[in-house]
Amino acid sequence: MSTVVFVGEMVRAVRHRDEPRTQVRLASSFEGYVSSLLVNGAGLGVLGIMEIEDDLPVVLMVLLTGWCLSNLGVSAVVFVVVAQSRIRRPTAWAELDLVGQHAPKYGRPPETIEEYRAQQLQE
């Protein structure tokens, strides 16, 4: 499923791999990419077992294997790009994480020191 839905985000992640502010939107769905890696890896394992037991026709096996591999490819690219960005620019990601956690929401004024700092970093 991630191949169809997230190919545009994958391209954007690769284009803006040195811009954490652009990638922060991908980080919110980062768990989804990791889940896709796990689920499609398990799917390939199941397809391997079904191939050994000869339960599926060859054409269907090839289509399902291609689909799982393309999902794995998209998810792996986004995973690697975001992980590299977090490793290369830890201070920028720390600021973005602080803003994401403590910035005042819904237009209300800041009430704590963390909210004031997050608002200053946001501007």
Side-chain angles (χ1 to χ4, degrees), residues 1 13 23 28 32 41 45 50 62 71 73 111 113-114 118:
M1 188 68 175
Q23 289 183 358
S28 63
M50 293 177 99
V62 170
N71 286 340
E111 298 172 352
I113 295 170
E114 290 86 13

Side-chain angles (χ1 to χ4, degrees), residues 102-104 108-120:
H102 297 290
R108 64 178 180 81
E111 298 172 352
T112 64
I113 295 170
E114 290 86 13
E115 288 180 353
Y116 277 108
R117 184 159 183 243
Q119 186 177 25
Q120 288 174 348

